[in-house]
Amino acid sequence: MPPSSPPPIDFSQLWALSPEILLTLWGLVLLLVDVGPLRGRPGSSRRKTVGSLALIGPIGVFALLLAPLVAGPGAGGGDPDPTLVYGTIAGDPLATSFNGVIALLLAMVIGMSMAWDFTEHWGAYFALLLWAAVGMMVLVAAEELLILFLALELMTICLYLAAAFEKDKRRSAEAGMKYFVYGSVASALFLFGLSLLYGLTGTTFLDGIRRVLVESAAATGEAGGLSGDLVGATAVLLILVGFGFKLAAVPFHQWAPDTYEGAPAPVSAWIASGSKLASLVALMKVLLHALAPWAGAVGGEAGGGWVLIVAAIAAATMTYGNLAALAQRNLKRMLAYSSIAHAGYMLVGVLAAMVTVRSGSSAAEAAGAVLFYLVIYSLTTVGAFAAAAWLARGLGRDDIDDLDGLGVRSPGLAVCLAILMLSLIGLPPTAGFVSKLAMFLEVLNADASARSTLLLLVALALVNSVISAFYYARVLRALFLRRSDRSPGPAPRGVSWPIVLAALAAVGFGLEPAPLVDSMRSAASAMLTITLPPSPPDLPAPAPVAAIPVSGGMAMQK
Amino acid sequence: MSDNLLLSLLWALPLAGSVLVLLVPGRSDLAVKGTALGVSALTFALSLVAFSSYLSGGLAETPLADRAALNTLTVAEGTGAVSLVDEPGDLVFRGPWIPYFRIQYFLGLDGISLSLVLLTGLISLLACLASWGIDRSVKGYFSLFLLLLASMMGVFLALDLFLFFVFFEFMLLPMYFLIGVWGGARKEYAAIKFLLYTLFGSVFILVAILVLYFYAPDGAEPLHTFDALRLMARTEHFTGTIFGFGVQSVVFALLLIGFLIKLPAVPFHTWLPDAHVEAPTPISMILAGILLKVGGYGLIRLAWPLAPVGAFELSWVVAVLGVVGILYGALAAMAQTDFKRLVAYSSVSHMGYVTLGLAAMNLIDPRYYSYGVNGAMYMMIAHGITSAGMFFLVGVVYDRLHTRDLGQLGGLMNAMPVFGGVTMLIFFGSMGLPGLCGFVAEVFVVLSAFNYSYGLAILAAAAVVLTAGYILWALQRVLLGRNDSHRGLPDMSMREVAVAAPLVVLTVWLGLFPQSVLGWVGPSVDRVVAAVASANGAMPEAEEVALSDAAGGSSR
């Protein structure tokens, strides 16, 4: 293949990447401000100053996202090919809307961080939060395996560091260490899986991989699936290890409880919401788009594929997460197991999205329901972690019992927290209920042949929701049924507004889900329909020569 | 008043009231209580308006399904434009809610639901009046109280399964907090037990709803609707099997478990005594008077009509469960030393009659089956009145003596003659003394059961002796005898008399003039029975056909 000379980068495309660029630069500014003008100031004053400055980052992102709307059409829209930078990054509605969601979550996390002094290094801390957000934004937009891996690493490395930032607590160091050790092993395995995938298909573009797999399946006349394909199966398994770690899916979840409990509450919130959100979107892109030909059947008449693996992981994850959460006394640790359980529910949705992708009729609806669930889950979880930040500030600890009596002392916030818990249980009329039900409806709507398996999974998920009511109700009990002498004091503003905002979202989208559902659905359809031009001259397309040894190699495995 | 406004206000007014109560300025408890009482009274007045338009419109004569068919809703496929036709004055409204899943905002009333809406309005008003003694977090209490009222109204109004489920689930929360915050010594245990039991039951209901929504027999499309009436009209769609069981049996079993937990019937009843004993008096009134009826309403309105064939297959099991409930509840009530626990177990026993009346599916002669369902319906209304009264009276004693231990009571007749008289009457009404309301219901149910199975009927009839046993024994231990330590206790206050009086009047009225209720509830019940019977292949004109063609009818 002759080394093509790529055309110079079209700088107008950078407009679509402006949120990432803004946050990157702003992180540097924060660092400089902290060591420059604020040098020698006491920690708490730097916390307030740098934190307020950091908030400009997400606000700037909102401004950039809203700018095209204000400027009217013509500023950036109307491009038939939504990919940027040689097709490696998408600039589609999915990326845009999730940039907004990530910026919102980032703002809530920054707000929480300003609640109390858990570190001295405020410049570095806030810069890391911002850069992790950059990683998440790129991860959501990635259309190519290398970019995807780099974004994943950028995000996770920032979070490793941030988790260990509460230096006077040994548990925080333990949290960072555990997260790092598990994470690096998972990343290595993930990278190995990606390299196998590249070896099998000769391309790193998600759409290119899909095309090669479809062609090779057509060439061999197989219906798809992975049966007999040892290398492919290994690649899929390794990739699932990597994503399973990020999502804290069983059996790759062991780091999560310790990390969530040990890390400062804002960092735990950031790991539980932003990191999980971006990773799940990336997982959906890889599985639903690139590896869709390897999905296999759910019903069982055709060959196996990754669908069955994901089904097993989903069932184990939600059951284990809920059962383990029952025994927890610490609020953050309980939320860790709850986030594991929610990962399980979402994987059921991914499964259904896969089944509908194949049957083709309503692919975007199912994937959109998962995205909807994801957004609601992230918002409510961040709100719940804000309560942990409140406790840590006032009492220096964050057990569920420490919430005792807050219903009397600050009834407004307690009601908001109760709404968040109800949303996490999935009780009407909160958004948690609507999103869960919408997702399960899509699951059952999927494919007639897969319906009985999916019905079992949904029934399991519903039973799990009931189990989850038991431990979420502990929070309700502490808030309203108990009295206590110790009080964390009135909530600082940085804690109260994320809680209120999350509760408003939980109620608002519960009663009127349509706007968010629709936008998530269009985001999902954008995600699933991204295709590179058939043979673009400027694109390092998969070499046709490579396909022959690949299909031969696959044939040899059979 | 348009249907939409009237029906929506029935649940939206208390909902708005629950916010309004929080906004009452200042720290005046009286203003809060007054506002809550006003909202409850208005809600009751609205239910009376609905009742009068039901009677004056002659709506008892037209089946609910026919009325609903006139109200149509179409959502354009692409644009999402909604066009709806609302037939005025027929107490049915159909509006859009979430068009993508064909979820409607579908409300409607017929005799079955209207009678319970009236009951809800009345008992809530009385319970609100009975809540005057609440002195902790008054705003929170009355706000949750009105929230509970709103969700209960919604349950009885909803004809869309999704909407029904939303209200059904929402009911749990106010109840959880009302028991958990304002309850007795073991309130936390009772509240979480109530929450988990009911939540677990609602999962069964939700799965049943999903099966109904998505089930497709071979070669057919799923119905993809939550419209309860449409699903009832299409029960023949649900043939075939899932996981090797008949689909109707599965649906029925799921709905049955879900609603039997709420009712509660015997293996699932253990949350009830705890919840009752720990709940404050007015909440016990609501719990016994209305919340248990939600279970029975779910059975009559949803479980039987949605899966008639499955219901018939399992009817024997359900009937046995009913009789076991009657006997077990009565025996357990006899063994209690706590006054409130005794009344709670009497509820279990009475709800057994509801189960038995519904399950005595005599398809050879659907007339008798219709007796049973009418009896069950009447039992729900009668029990709603008497049990609310009984819990209120227990509360009256507890307020004065701060004990419910039957061993320490006694002799109250001398100290509190008015209380004694009212207690006698309401407890006799619950016992089923002829001339009072409980009697009518029991007679109907036992009559129907005789034509279903002699064994079950004899057991159910024998349970009347047990009922008399525990009621009379309880009255003896509370009212009779001499107890000087109780001398000088104040008798019932004007407020308490005001709460008890309507219940006393209704206990007598319903016993003497059952037709005044059955006249407009009965036609709706009979239509349900006819639909269930014909879905099972029974002849609609039972009387002649059954005699000449008994063999053919019974071979089904």
Side-chain angles (χ1 to χ4, degrees):
Chain A
M1 194 165 140
S4 58
S5 58
I9 290 180
D10 178 7
F11 282 100
S12 70
Q13 286 188 343
L14 287 184
W15 174 250
L17 293 177
S18 53
E20 286 92 336
I21 296 169
L22 171 78
L23 287 185
T24 313
L25 295 179
W26 196 246
L28 287 173
V29 170
L30 292 181
L31 267 183
L32 289 178
V33 167
D34 192 40
V35 298
L38 297 181
R39 189 182 177 88
R41 300 264 293 276
S44 61
S45 99
R46 282 188 295 127
R47 157 171 62 101
K48 287 182 184 127
T49 319
V50 183
S52 315
L53 280 177
L55 269 180
I56 296 177
I59 292 171
V61 172
F62 284 129
L64 287 173
L65 290 175
L66 292 178
L69 297 182
V70 179
D79 193 356
D81 177 19
T83 56
L84 313 163
V85 204
Y86 312 122
T88 54
I89 289 186
D92 54 354
L94 175 80
T96 327
S97 51
F98 272 81
N99 280 352
V101 174
I102 289 170
L104 180 62
L105 295 172
L106 175 64
M108 293 165 83
V109 169
I110 291 176
M112 258 190 259
S113 308
M114 289 162 65
W116 84 111
D117 284 308
F118 52 84
T119 179
E120 283 287 300
H121 313 281
W122 288 105
Y125 173 78
F126 284 113
L128 283 174
L129 290 188
L130 259 58
W131 291 335
V134 173
M136 292 167 198
M137 289 177 173
V138 179
L139 186 57
V140 166
E143 282 295 319
E144 198 252 15
L145 292 180
L146 279 179
I147 297 283
L148 191 144
F149 183 74
L150 286 177
L152 205 62
E153 287 301 286
L154 172 60
M155 173 183 91
T156 339
I157 288 172
C158 291
L159 292 176
Y160 295 152
L161 292 172
F165 246 69
E166 195 166 7
K167 282 203 294 188
D168 54 349
K169 283 238 172 92
R170 290 177 67 184
R171 302 216 60 161
S172 177
E174 181 196 341
M177 193 65 197
K178 271 196 174 143
Y179 193 24
F180 171 64
V181 171
Y182 275 104
S184 47
V185 173
S187 290
L189 294 175
F190 185 60
L191 192 57
F192 186 38
L194 296 187
S195 69
L196 285 178
L197 200 56
Y198 175 66
L200 286 173
T201 58
T203 176
T204 55
F205 287 89
L206 295 183
D207 189 52
I209 292 171
R210 174 194 179 85
R211 224 175 288 163
V212 171
L213 292 182
V214 169
E215 277 166 18
S216 72
T220 54
E222 297 273 328
L226 272 170
S227 55
D229 186 351
L230 197 59
V231 182
T234 313
V236 167
L237 277 180
L238 291 174
I239 289 173
L240 280 178
V241 171
F243 281 127
F245 166 78
K246 297 285 180 260
L247 296 176
V250 173
F252 317 111
H253 65 280
Q254 290 98 336
W255 62 274
D258 290 336
T259 303
Y260 285 31
E261 186 183 355
V267 180
S268 305
W270 203 209
I271 298 174
S273 62
S275 159
K276 195 168 267 198
L277 176 105
S279 311
L280 195 83
V281 174
L283 168 91
M284 288 171 74
K285 278 187 155 181
V286 170
L287 288 187
L288 298 184
H289 195 64
L291 298 183
W294 275 350
V298 182
E301 77 277 13
W306 59 257
V307 163
L308 292 177
I309 305 172
V310 172
I313 291 179
T317 303
M318 58 192 175
T319 312
Y320 179 85
N322 277 317
L323 292 180
L326 289 178
Q328 304 311 322
R329 298 271 170 260
N330 180 284
L331 179 61
K332 284 194 291 185
R333 207 174 171 84
M334 185 273 271
L335 287 173
Y337 281 109
S338 117
S339 90
I340 293 176
H342 281 275
Y345 303 145
M346 289 186 260
L347 285 177
V348 177
V350 171
L351 199 69
M354 183 61 241
V355 178
T356 46
V357 163
R358 196 178 28 219
S359 61
S361 54
S362 59
E365 276 82 357
V370 182
L371 294 182
F372 177 49
Y373 190 94
L374 192 55
V375 171
I376 296 297
Y377 156 80
S378 305
L379 285 173
T380 44
T381 299
V382 170
F385 271 109
W390 183 10
L391 294 179
R393 168 199 153 94
L395 299 170
R397 30 183 289 174
D398 42 26
D399 286 346
I400 296 178
D401 293 344
D402 295 329
L403 290 166
D404 283 3
L406 284 185
V408 179
R409 291 209 174 82
S410 18
L413 279 183
V415 167
C416 289
L417 272 179
I419 291 173
L420 294 180
M421 290 302 134
L422 301 179
S423 183
L424 285 170
I425 301 175
L427 279 183
T430 58
F433 170 72
V434 178
S435 61
K436 203 175 258 181
L437 199 70
M439 191 165 82
F440 291 158
L441 280 178
E442 292 294 357
V443 170
L444 294 179
N445 215 353
D447 192 19
S449 67
R451 201 167 282 153
S452 57
T453 313
L454 292 175
L455 185 63
L456 277 182
L457 275 177
V458 168
L460 183 66
L462 290 175
V463 171
N464 267 307
S465 316
V466 174
I467 298 175
S468 78
F470 191 72
Y471 57 85
Y472 291 124
R474 272 204 192 121
V475 176
L476 300 184
R477 183 182 70 183
L479 286 173
F480 294 103
L481 273 56
R482 295 267 171 92
R483 298 284 179 272
S484 161
D485 305 330
R486 295 175 311 121
S487 152
R493 204 180 307 144
V495 164
S496 54
W497 73 258
I499 295 181
V500 172
L501 184 73
L504 282 181
V507 173
F509 289 123
L511 295 176
E512 194 51 52
L516 188 60
V517 170
D518 286 340
S519 69
M520 285 301 125
R521 208 174 275 158
S522 65
S525 80
M527 170 176 83
L528 294 172
T529 51
I530 277 200
T531 44
L532 302 175
S535 55
D538 57 345
L539 194 90
V545 198
I548 298 165
V550 166
S551 55
M554 284 164 73
M556 265 162 43
Q557 298 295 340
K558 284 172 190 154
Chain B
M1 210 184 304
S2 79
D3 294 333
N4 184 12
L5 189 65
L6 178 60
L7 297 177
S8 298
L9 271 183
L10 271 174
W11 67 266
L13 184 75
L15 188 67
S18 77
V19 180
L20 187 71
V21 162
L22 292 179
L23 299 179
V24 170
R27 298 209 152 267
S28 157
D29 287 352
L30 199 63
V32 172
K33 289 172 183 171
T35 315
L37 188 66
V39 173
S40 311
L42 263 180
T43 312
F44 181 51
L46 274 175
S47 64
L48 286 177
V49 170
F51 180 51
S52 74
S53 76
Y54 186 79
L55 288 188
S56 65
L59 298 177
E61 310 310 319
T62 15
L64 180 61
D66 292 0
R67 283 186 279 139
L70 294 176
N71 296 266
T72 56
L73 170 76
T74 43
V75 180
E77 192 69 33
T79 58
V82 175
S83 58
L84 58 93
V85 178
D86 182 30
E87 181 79 10
D90 63 351
L91 292 182
V92 176
F93 179 75
R94 205 192 281 261
W97 186 17
I98 305 177
Y100 179 71
F101 288 118
R102 302 196 197 170
I103 296 170
Q104 302 170 349
Y105 174 69
F106 185 15
L107 305 177
L109 285 176
D110 69 349
I112 298 174
S113 43
L114 183 58
S115 58
L116 293 171
V117 164
L118 281 172
L119 186 71
T120 308
L122 176 68
I123 300 292
S124 299
L125 179 61
L126 299 180
C128 192
L129 205 55
S131 307
W132 229 247
I134 297 288
D135 50 4
R136 260 188 316 135
S137 331
V138 176
K139 273 188 186 180
Y141 175 88
F142 283 97
S143 177
L144 287 168
F145 181 90
L146 291 175
L147 214 54
L148 181 66
L149 174 56
S151 54
M152 291 185 304
M153 282 290 184
V155 164
F156 294 130
L157 287 166
L159 287 178
D160 183 277
L161 292 178
F162 186 90
L163 191 63
F164 174 86
F165 187 77
V166 168
F167 282 122
F168 186 81
E169 286 270 270
F170 194 71
M171 228 162 32
L172 304 183
L173 289 172
M175 205 63 194
Y176 171 80
F177 287 116
L178 285 169
I179 297 177
V181 178
W182 288 272
R186 288 164 72 237
K187 58 190 181 182
E188 287 183 7
Y189 171 77
I192 191 71
K193 194 168 177 181
F194 167 78
L195 184 79
L196 286 182
Y197 258 89
T198 324
L199 214 52
F200 194 66
S202 63
V203 165
F204 286 90
I205 297 171
L206 184 60
V207 172
I209 293 175
L210 291 178
V211 170
L212 289 169
Y213 188 81
F214 284 112
Y215 180 76
D218 286 338
E221 281 292 300
L223 290 178
H224 281 314
T225 179
F226 289 111
D227 180 340
L229 297 179
R230 180 143 179 268
L231 287 168
M232 286 170 200
R234 294 288 307 277
T235 50
E236 80 284 353
H237 175 82
F238 298 98
T239 52
T241 59
I242 28 177
F243 302 122
F245 298 100
V247 60
Q248 287 216 12
S249 307
V250 172
V251 169
F252 180 75
L254 290 168
L255 289 174
L256 184 72
I257 295 173
F259 289 124
L260 283 188
I261 288 176
K262 196 83 189 174
L263 190 59
V266 148
F268 313 112
H269 67 284
T270 59
W271 63 268
L272 182 80
D274 288 311
H276 266 313
V277 169
E278 302 308 327
T281 301
I283 300 310
S284 283
M285 288 170 71
I286 294 221
L287 188 60
I290 311 167
L291 241 64
L292 306 190
K293 310 303 171 293
V294 172
Y297 173 74
L299 291 175
I300 294 186
R301 172 50 37 89
L302 300 179
W304 258 267
L306 283 173
V309 177
F312 184 61
E313 281 169 13
L314 291 173
S315 65
W316 181 251
V317 180
V318 185
V320 170
L321 274 183
V323 172
V324 170
I326 296 172
L327 294 172
Y328 178 88
L331 287 171
M334 211 176 269
Q336 302 306 319
T337 54
D338 183 319
F339 197 9
K340 210 168 178 185
R341 231 180 155 81
L342 181 145
V343 178
Y345 274 108
S346 85
S347 286
V348 176
S349 175
H350 282 108
M351 288 300 106
Y353 282 103
V354 174
T355 322
L356 176 65
L358 290 173
M361 292 177 68
N362 183 349
L363 294 180
I364 302 168
D365 190 346
R367 253 189 330 167
Y368 293 118
Y369 175 30
S370 158
Y371 284 176
V373 181
N374 272 308
M377 196 63 219
Y378 208 83
M379 178 56 98
M380 296 214 293
I381 299 168
H383 178 258
I385 289 162
T386 55
S387 70
M390 287 159 85
F391 278 112
F392 174 69
L393 293 167
V394 173
V396 168
V397 175
Y398 186 74
D399 284 347
R400 285 163 175 71
L401 298 174
H402 301 285
T403 178
R404 293 186 301 257
D405 187 352
L406 285 168
Q408 297 183 28
L409 301 174
L412 289 177
M413 193 69 164
N414 291 332
M416 303 163 66
V418 179
F419 170 81
V422 170
T423 308
M424 288 271 186
L425 191 112
I426 292 209
F427 274 63
F428 282 144
S430 168
M431 183 176 88
L433 195 72
L436 299 176
C437 59
F439 175 71
V440 182
E442 280 178 25
V443 164
F444 267 113
V445 170
V446 173
L447 191 68
S448 162
F450 257 111
N451 290 286
Y452 179 69
S453 151
Y454 289 128
L456 290 180
I458 288 169
L459 285 174
V464 172
V465 178
L466 293 178
T467 310
Y470 70 77
I471 295 251
L472 291 175
W473 195 25
L475 287 179
Q476 180 196 337
R477 284 183 288 176
V478 174
L479 296 177
L480 307 182
R482 285 186 72 82
N483 194 335
D484 289 340
S485 63
H486 295 156
R487 182 168 306 177
L489 278 180
D491 207 338
M492 287 170 82
S493 67
M494 282 310 288
R495 179 179 61 81
E496 286 164 339
V497 171
V499 174
L503 299 174
V504 168
V505 171
L506 278 172
T507 304
V508 178
W509 179 270
L510 290 181
L512 294 179
F513 307 105
Q515 197 55 30
S516 62
V517 170
L518 285 177
W520 51 276
V521 175
S524 302
V525 171
D526 290 343
R527 275 192 285 273
V528 169
V529 169
V532 171
S534 76
N536 279 299
M539 295 300 134
E541 271 75 42
E543 196 149 355
E544 292 81 14
V545 182
L547 289 175
S548 60
D549 195 22
S554 65
S555 69
R556 145 83 235 151

